[in-house]
mmCIF file of all heavy atoms in Angstrom:
data_model
loop_
_atom_site.group_PDB
_atom_site.id
_atom_site.type_symbol
_atom_site.label_atom_id
_atom_site.label_comp_id
_atom_site.label_asym_id
_atom_site.label_seq_id
_atom_site.Cartn_x
_atom_site.Cartn_y
_atom_site.Cartn_z
ATOM 1 N N GLU A 5 0.767 19.205 -7.195
ATOM 2 C CA GLU A 5 1.129 19.681 -8.532
ATOM 3 C C GLU A 5 0.338 18.918 -9.586
ATOM 4 O O GLU A 5 0.252 19.377 -10.716
ATOM 5 C CB GLU A 5 2.627 19.492 -8.773
ATOM 6 C CG GLU A 5 3.488 20.270 -7.803
ATOM 7 C CD GLU A 5 4.937 19.942 -7.960
ATOM 8 O OE1 GLU A 5 5.287 19.351 -9.041
ATOM 9 O OE2 GLU A 5 5.754 20.234 -7.061
ATOM 10 N N SER A 10 -2.345 18.860 -16.812
ATOM 11 C CA SER A 10 -1.689 17.824 -17.597
ATOM 12 C C SER A 10 -0.358 17.459 -16.933
ATOM 13 O O SER A 10 0.317 18.294 -16.342
ATOM 14 C CB SER A 10 -1.412 18.295 -19.011
ATOM 15 O OG SER A 10 -2.616 18.571 -19.670
ATOM 16 N N VAL A 11 0.006 16.189 -16.983
ATOM 17 C CA VAL A 11 1.221 15.735 -16.333
ATOM 18 C C VAL A 11 2.207 15.394 -17.416
ATOM 19 O O VAL A 11 2.221 14.292 -17.916
ATOM 20 C CB VAL A 11 0.922 14.488 -15.431
ATOM 21 C CG1 VAL A 11 2.137 14.132 -14.638
ATOM 22 C CG2 VAL A 11 -0.259 14.762 -14.511
ATOM 23 N N GLY A 13 5.256 14.204 -19.448
ATOM 24 C CA GLY A 13 6.282 13.211 -19.244
ATOM 25 C C GLY A 13 5.955 12.136 -18.247
ATOM 26 O O GLY A 13 6.801 11.277 -17.945
ATOM 27 N N SER A 31 -2.886 17.543 2.228
ATOM 28 C CA SER A 31 -2.641 18.525 3.216
ATOM 29 C C SER A 31 -2.338 17.979 4.606
ATOM 30 O O SER A 31 -1.948 18.721 5.511
ATOM 31 C CB SER A 31 -3.845 19.507 3.349
ATOM 32 O OG SER A 31 -4.967 18.837 3.946
ATOM 33 N N PHE A 59 6.772 -1.594 -17.646
ATOM 34 C CA PHE A 59 5.714 -0.845 -16.959
ATOM 35 C C PHE A 59 6.340 -0.039 -15.802
ATOM 36 O O PHE A 59 7.080 -0.552 -14.985
ATOM 37 C CB PHE A 59 4.655 -1.772 -16.457
ATOM 38 C CG PHE A 59 3.466 -1.049 -15.798
ATOM 39 C CD1 PHE A 59 2.391 -0.688 -16.550
ATOM 40 C CD2 PHE A 59 3.468 -0.764 -14.446
ATOM 41 C CE1 PHE A 59 1.307 -0.001 -16.012
ATOM 42 C CE2 PHE A 59 2.402 -0.098 -13.896
ATOM 43 C CZ PHE A 59 1.342 0.268 -14.651
ATOM 44 N N ARG A 62 4.574 6.041 -11.422
ATOM 45 C CA ARG A 62 5.150 7.218 -10.695
ATOM 46 C C ARG A 62 4.649 7.263 -9.281
ATOM 47 O O ARG A 62 3.494 7.028 -9.013
ATOM 48 C CB ARG A 62 4.803 8.506 -11.449
ATOM 49 C CG ARG A 62 5.390 9.731 -10.800
ATOM 50 C CD ARG A 62 5.016 11.009 -11.593
ATOM 51 N NE ARG A 62 5.566 10.995 -12.910
ATOM 52 C CZ ARG A 62 6.792 11.548 -13.203
ATOM 53 N NH1 ARG A 62 7.526 12.079 -12.237
ATOM 54 N NH2 ARG A 62 7.263 11.494 -14.444
ATOM 55 N N GLY A 74 10.434 -7.572 -14.693
ATOM 56 C CA GLY A 74 10.046 -8.438 -15.834
ATOM 57 C C GLY A 74 8.819 -7.896 -16.504
ATOM 58 O O GLY A 74 8.239 -6.899 -16.041
ATOM 59 N N SER A 98 5.014 -7.844 -10.289
ATOM 60 C CA SER A 98 5.680 -7.269 -9.127
ATOM 61 C C SER A 98 6.323 -5.954 -9.546
ATOM 62 O O SER A 98 7.094 -5.912 -10.501
ATOM 63 C CB SER A 98 6.759 -8.216 -8.614
ATOM 64 O OG SER A 98 7.412 -7.639 -7.518
ATOM 65 N N LEU A 99 5.908 -4.845 -8.896
ATOM 66 C CA LEU A 99 6.529 -3.562 -9.117
ATOM 67 C C LEU A 99 7.444 -3.229 -7.952
ATOM 68 O O LEU A 99 7.028 -3.299 -6.797
ATOM 69 C CB LEU A 99 5.438 -2.504 -9.249
ATOM 70 C CG LEU A 99 4.455 -2.657 -10.403
ATOM 71 C CD1 LEU A 99 3.420 -1.566 -10.385
ATOM 72 C CD2 LEU A 99 5.180 -2.658 -11.728
ATOM 73 N N PRO A 123 -7.557 -16.678 -3.066
ATOM 74 C CA PRO A 123 -6.443 -17.660 -3.374
ATOM 75 C C PRO A 123 -6.778 -19.041 -2.767
ATOM 76 O O PRO A 123 -7.693 -19.179 -1.974
ATOM 77 C CB PRO A 123 -5.285 -17.028 -2.610
ATOM 78 C CG PRO A 123 -5.952 -16.380 -1.427
ATOM 79 C CD PRO A 123 -7.312 -15.898 -1.879
ATOM 80 N N ARG A 128 -0.127 -17.200 0.208
ATOM 81 C CA ARG A 128 0.085 -15.775 0.608
ATOM 82 C C ARG A 128 0.093 -14.871 -0.625
ATOM 83 O O ARG A 128 0.668 -15.159 -1.635
ATOM 84 C CB ARG A 128 1.402 -15.597 1.336
ATOM 85 C CG ARG A 128 1.549 -14.288 2.060
ATOM 86 C CD ARG A 128 2.930 -14.139 2.698
ATOM 87 N NE ARG A 128 3.997 -13.908 1.742
ATOM 88 C CZ ARG A 128 5.027 -14.680 1.527
ATOM 89 N NH1 ARG A 128 5.151 -15.827 2.234
ATOM 90 N NH2 ARG A 128 5.961 -14.376 0.662
ATOM 91 N N ASN A 142 17.087 -12.520 6.953
ATOM 92 C CA ASN A 142 16.059 -12.157 7.928
ATOM 93 C C ASN A 142 16.108 -10.659 8.203
ATOM 94 O O ASN A 142 16.762 -10.212 9.111
ATOM 95 C CB ASN A 142 16.245 -12.942 9.209
ATOM 96 C CG ASN A 142 15.013 -12.873 10.080
ATOM 97 O OD1 ASN A 142 13.939 -12.554 9.617
ATOM 98 N ND2 ASN A 142 15.136 -13.206 11.332
ATOM 99 N N GLY A 156 -10.844 -21.278 5.236
ATOM 100 C CA GLY A 156 -11.375 -20.206 4.432
ATOM 101 C C GLY A 156 -11.470 -18.842 5.099
ATOM 102 O O GLY A 156 -12.035 -17.922 4.529
ATOM 103 N N VAL A 167 12.761 -15.684 6.773
ATOM 104 C CA VAL A 167 12.079 -16.807 7.391
ATOM 105 C C VAL A 167 10.588 -16.660 7.384
ATOM 106 O O VAL A 167 9.846 -17.533 7.844
ATOM 107 C CB VAL A 167 12.583 -16.981 8.869
ATOM 108 C CG1 VAL A 167 14.029 -17.306 8.895
ATOM 109 C CG2 VAL A 167 12.316 -15.739 9.682
ATOM 110 N N SER A 173 -0.357 -11.384 12.809
ATOM 111 C CA SER A 173 -1.253 -12.120 11.940
ATOM 112 C C SER A 173 -2.595 -12.233 12.655
ATOM 113 O O SER A 173 -2.680 -12.605 13.795
ATOM 114 C CB SER A 173 -0.667 -13.554 11.736
ATOM 115 O OG SER A 173 -1.619 -14.353 11.034
ATOM 116 N N SER A 176 -9.430 -11.744 10.007
ATOM 117 C CA SER A 176 -10.325 -10.620 9.895
ATOM 118 C C SER A 176 -11.776 -11.040 9.983
ATOM 119 O O SER A 176 -12.193 -12.058 9.460
ATOM 120 C CB SER A 176 -10.061 -9.918 8.584
ATOM 121 O OG SER A 176 -11.026 -8.871 8.350
ATOM 122 N N THR A 177 -12.550 -10.230 10.667
ATOM 123 C CA THR A 177 -13.977 -10.428 10.720
ATOM 124 C C THR A 177 -14.672 -9.815 9.523
ATOM 125 O O THR A 177 -15.874 -10.037 9.312
ATOM 126 C CB THR A 177 -14.611 -9.826 12.024
ATOM 127 O OG1 THR A 177 -14.291 -8.468 12.060
ATOM 128 C CG2 THR A 177 -13.998 -10.525 13.236
ATOM 129 N N PRO A 179 -14.610 -9.599 5.322
ATOM 130 C CA PRO A 179 -14.044 -10.266 4.165
ATOM 131 C C PRO A 179 -12.999 -9.403 3.482
ATOM 132 O O PRO A 179 -13.178 -8.204 3.267
ATOM 133 C CB PRO A 179 -15.213 -10.479 3.235
ATOM 134 C CG PRO A 179 -16.448 -10.449 4.157
ATOM 135 C CD PRO A 179 -16.086 -9.465 5.184
ATOM 136 N N GLU A 194 6.447 3.235 19.895
ATOM 137 C CA GLU A 194 5.685 3.412 21.104
ATOM 138 C C GLU A 194 4.589 2.360 21.242
ATOM 139 O O GLU A 194 4.363 1.820 22.339
ATOM 140 C CB GLU A 194 4.964 4.756 21.124
ATOM 141 C CG GLU A 194 5.902 5.943 21.119
ATOM 142 C CD GLU A 194 6.300 6.436 19.746
ATOM 143 O OE1 GLU A 194 5.926 5.748 18.746
ATOM 144 O OE2 GLU A 194 7.022 7.437 19.632
ATOM 145 N N ASN A 203 -11.982 1.161 8.125
ATOM 146 C CA ASN A 203 -11.673 2.209 9.125
ATOM 147 C C ASN A 203 -11.550 1.585 10.502
ATOM 148 O O ASN A 203 -12.309 1.899 11.416
ATOM 149 C CB ASN A 203 -12.729 3.253 9.109
ATOM 150 C CG ASN A 203 -12.285 4.582 9.744
ATOM 151 O OD1 ASN A 203 -11.215 4.619 10.292
ATOM 152 N ND2 ASN A 203 -13.099 5.601 9.644
ATOM 153 N N THR A 220 14.368 -0.794 3.769
ATOM 154 C CA THR A 220 13.356 0.155 3.438
ATOM 155 C C THR A 220 12.942 0.132 1.958
ATOM 156 O O THR A 220 12.128 0.922 1.529
ATOM 157 C CB THR A 220 13.808 1.601 3.739
ATOM 158 O OG1 THR A 220 15.018 1.882 3.088
ATOM 159 C CG2 THR A 220 14.005 1.769 5.250
ATOM 160 N N PHE A 222 10.897 -1.813 -1.076
ATOM 161 C CA PHE A 222 9.692 -2.621 -1.053
ATOM 162 C C PHE A 222 9.204 -2.896 -2.491
ATOM 163 O O PHE A 222 9.637 -2.275 -3.433
ATOM 164 C CB PHE A 222 8.574 -1.914 -0.267
ATOM 165 C CG PHE A 222 8.164 -0.582 -0.822
ATOM 166 C CD1 PHE A 222 7.171 -0.526 -1.760
ATOM 167 C CD2 PHE A 222 8.803 0.579 -0.436
ATOM 168 C CE1 PHE A 222 6.798 0.710 -2.296
ATOM 169 C CE2 PHE A 222 8.447 1.780 -0.967
ATOM 170 C CZ PHE A 222 7.428 1.872 -1.895
ATOM 171 N N ASN A 227 6.813 -9.639 -4.533
ATOM 172 C CA ASN A 227 8.088 -9.350 -3.911
ATOM 173 C C ASN A 227 9.186 -9.251 -4.912
ATOM 174 O O ASN A 227 8.962 -9.334 -6.123
ATOM 175 C CB ASN A 227 8.375 -10.353 -2.790
ATOM 176 C CG ASN A 227 8.508 -11.780 -3.327
ATOM 177 O OD1 ASN A 227 8.997 -12.009 -4.399
ATOM 178 N ND2 ASN A 227 7.964 -12.701 -2.556
ATOM 179 N N ALA A 230 9.356 -11.596 -7.683
ATOM 180 C CA ALA A 230 8.070 -11.810 -8.395
ATOM 181 C C ALA A 230 7.329 -13.029 -7.923
ATOM 182 O O ALA A 230 6.691 -13.760 -8.669
ATOM 183 C CB ALA A 230 8.280 -11.857 -9.918
ATOM 184 N N SER A 241 -2.674 3.232 -3.175
ATOM 185 C CA SER A 241 -1.854 2.699 -2.104
ATOM 186 C C SER A 241 -0.997 3.837 -1.515
ATOM 187 O O SER A 241 -0.587 4.734 -2.277
ATOM 188 C CB SER A 241 -0.932 1.568 -2.645
ATOM 189 O OG SER A 241 -1.686 0.501 -3.161
ATOM 190 N N ARG A 245 4.233 8.486 6.984
ATOM 191 C CA ARG A 245 5.388 8.712 7.851
ATOM 192 C C ARG A 245 5.048 8.527 9.338
ATOM 193 O O ARG A 245 5.911 8.750 10.150
ATOM 194 C CB ARG A 245 5.886 10.180 7.652
ATOM 195 C CG ARG A 245 6.576 10.444 6.360
ATOM 196 C CD ARG A 245 7.233 11.805 6.350
ATOM 197 N NE ARG A 245 8.082 11.979 5.162
ATOM 198 C CZ ARG A 245 7.672 12.428 3.978
ATOM 199 N NH1 ARG A 245 6.413 12.846 3.852
ATOM 200 N NH2 ARG A 245 8.519 12.536 2.968
ATOM 201 N N ILE A 248 -0.844 5.726 12.098
ATOM 202 C CA ILE A 248 -2.148 6.394 12.220
ATOM 203 C C ILE A 248 -3.123 5.664 13.195
ATOM 204 O O ILE A 248 -4.229 6.126 13.385
ATOM 205 C CB ILE A 248 -2.877 6.561 10.867
ATOM 206 C CG1 ILE A 248 -3.131 5.235 10.192
ATOM 207 C CG2 ILE A 248 -2.072 7.494 9.937
ATOM 208 C CD1 ILE A 248 -4.127 5.351 9.056
#
Side-chain angles (χ1 to χ4, degrees):
E5 299 173 16
S10 296
V11 188
S31 71
F59 184 89
R62 181 180 295 271
S98 180
L99 297 177
R128 193 184 75 240
N142 195 18
V167 296
S173 173
S176 174
T177 58
E194 297 90 354
N203 199 353
T220 57
F222 61 90
N227 59 38
S241 298
R245 288 189 171 91
I248 61 165

